[in-house]
Amino acid sequence: MSCGSLAEELGGVRALLLDVDDTIVDTRGAMVAAGTEAAAVVWPDRLGQHRAMAQRYYDDPERWFPRYASGDVAFDDMRAGRLAEVASAFGVSLPDDAHRTFEDAYAPAFRGAQRLFPDVPALLDAAQGRRLPVALLTNSAHAPTRVKLEALDLVERFDIVVTTDTLGFGKPDPRVYLEACRLLAVEPGAVVCIGDSLAWDVLGAQAAGLRAIWLDRGGRGTSEPVMSVRALDEVAAALDGRFGPPLRDR
């Protein structure tokens, strides 16, 4: 279900707040690719199962990542917990050095697997043409977020990046959205949050007083009365239509 129009949602907007994982970068694809390589190093005898192991690591059925985002567990403990759950699910032993072995193999593979979604540049160009600042708000930590931005040559594109390291917790705690708005120097009601998580990027943002647009790439739909798009270039086109031609330097 949607409400209003994109033009209405963007009316009077003064800044955009973007999620990172599976919104601007294909984190699922990168994690599964990297996890497949890393699982093969930890469990070389489990031929044919490494991709399934990596998919389970990404799926995180014990919800270690939300626990990390809420500040309940540390980043390394979250990652170790996910790996232990994979071992249990596949009935394999967990070597004493499994976590470090996994991470050492995972890190370079993850960097090499980074991919920007093709609809991102148009949105960034549209925002830049209208002099709208764009900040990032992610529940990931600073270090892996930096890896993603460096791999895609995007470090200089975003002056403001709010991660779980910033305050010690992440979305949907209202304080992280408000911290991003503070750093943008824009009141929450003039900031539009865009992301793939209905709970974290839309409902959480709205509860903190921001506007929000749900990026529903898979067309899942929802009964929640929220604005949704299938691709970010829809937002770019709406910005073009709402604000007219890009501003030019005089």
Side-chain angles (χ1 to χ4, degrees):
M1 181 184 297
S2 63
C3 55
S5 68
L6 273 177
E8 291 171 341
E9 197 69 29
L10 294 167
V13 64
R14 293 180 51 213
L16 301 182
L17 184 58
L18 301 181
D19 173 53
V20 177
D21 297 316
D22 296 317
T23 294
I24 69 170
V25 299
D26 182 8
T27 298
R28 177 185 183 278
M31 286 188 66
V32 172
T36 299
E37 292 193 31
V41 175
V42 176
W43 299 290
D45 58 330
R46 288 287 173 153
L47 298 178
Q49 292 185 302
H50 299 137
R51 184 174 179 84
M53 288 175 162
Q55 183 64 58
R56 189 173 184 94
Y57 183 89
Y58 172 83
D59 290 340
D60 188 21
E62 288 187 346
R63 296 184 60 78
W64 281 94
F65 188 77
R67 289 160 65 185
Y68 161 70
S70 67
D72 289 342
V73 298
F75 183 81
D76 281 347
D77 292 339
M78 175 270 292
R79 303 271 285 201
R82 290 168 82 160
L83 190 63
E85 193 282 328
V86 170
S88 176
F90 283 82
V92 295
S93 62
L94 195 67
D96 291 340
D97 60 347
H99 174 56
R100 182 45 48 204
T101 300
F102 184 90
E103 293 293 337
D104 287 346
Y106 183 97
F110 184 69
R111 178 183 288 271
Q114 293 305 310
R115 182 175 72 85
L116 191 71
F117 283 112
D119 53 5
V120 175
L123 177 59
L124 297 183
D125 288 347
Q128 184 175 32
R130 276 126 205 100
R131 297 175 185 168
L132 292 177
V134 181
L136 299 179
L137 175 59
T138 174
N139 273 356
S140 188
H142 172 78
T145 300
R146 178 84 182 188
V147 166
K148 297 162 195 172
L149 298 181
E150 285 179 346
L152 297 167
D153 197 25
L154 288 175
V155 172
E156 302 301 323
R157 182 61 185 82
F158 302 101
D159 293 328
I160 297 169
V161 180
V162 178
T163 69
T164 47
D165 305 280
T166 303
L167 297 178
F169 46 81
K171 301 174 281 189
D173 192 299
R175 291 171 290 180
V176 295
Y177 309 94
L178 298 180
E179 175 65 6
C181 293
R182 185 189 71 80
L183 293 170
L184 284 164
V186 177
E187 62 275 16
V191 177
V192 175
C193 186
I194 305 172
D196 71 298
S197 171
L198 182 62
W200 287 350
D201 301 314
V202 179
L203 301 181
Q206 290 176 335
L210 288 72
R211 308 183 206 179
I213 297 172
W214 182 36
L215 177 60
D216 181 18
R217 291 191 185 278
R220 292 172 291 163
T222 177
S223 60
E224 296 285 350
V226 301
M227 174 60 58
S228 67
V229 296
R230 292 290 300 274
L232 294 175
D233 49 19
E234 294 179 49
V235 182
L239 285 173
D240 287 339
R242 178 75 187 183
F243 295 104
L247 295 171
R248 304 296 183 187
D249 291 334
R250 297 181 185 275

